[in-house]
Amino acid sequence: MSDIGPTTWTTHIDGEMVETIDTIRIALPEEQRAVFDSEVGSASADQLQLVLASWALSLTSAGEEDDAVIARLREITSRQQHQMGASL
């Protein structure tokens, strides 16, 4: 018989290791935990890591950083399109 320990899922968020699903759940505001439980409970096995990563990242400023990067990329694209239109 083999010893089976607790199942873990490991990633690093803001330099800190996140090892368990409960680590993410406990860090969430109480009003979001039911939604988290529902999404994790209904996720297919091949989508579970994506669901967990999404929730773990929601606890960081990653979304705000992504929004800032996207805004900069849109601005650059707009400038480039404007420049191309002016040169035609």
Side-chain angles (χ1 to χ4, degrees):
M1 186 181 234
S2 65
D3 290 332
I4 299 175
T7 302
T8 61
W9 173 85
T10 305
T11 191
H12 289 82
I13 303 295
D14 284 344
E16 294 185 35
M17 187 163 34
V18 176
E19 291 187 348
T20 68
I21 295 170
D22 278 342
T23 304
I24 299 168
R25 187 181 188 285
I26 291 166
L28 291 169
E30 191 172 335
E31 62 273 6
Q32 292 183 350
R33 292 178 186 165
V35 176
F36 172 80
D37 291 342
S38 176
E39 286 187 20
V40 169
S42 64
S44 61
D46 64 333
Q47 293 294 309
L48 184 57
Q49 281 194 335
L50 180 59
V51 170
L52 292 173
S54 176
W55 279 98
L57 287 171
S58 77
L59 297 168
T60 70
S61 62
E64 294 167 11
E65 292 171 14
D66 287 348
D67 291 345
V69 168
I70 290 168
R72 284 194 304 272
L73 290 172
R74 285 184 176 148
E75 183 180 326
I76 290 168
T77 301
S78 177
R79 262 190 263 136
Q80 289 173 340
Q81 289 174 342
H82 179 66
Q83 289 172 349
M84 288 179 66
S87 66
L88 292 178

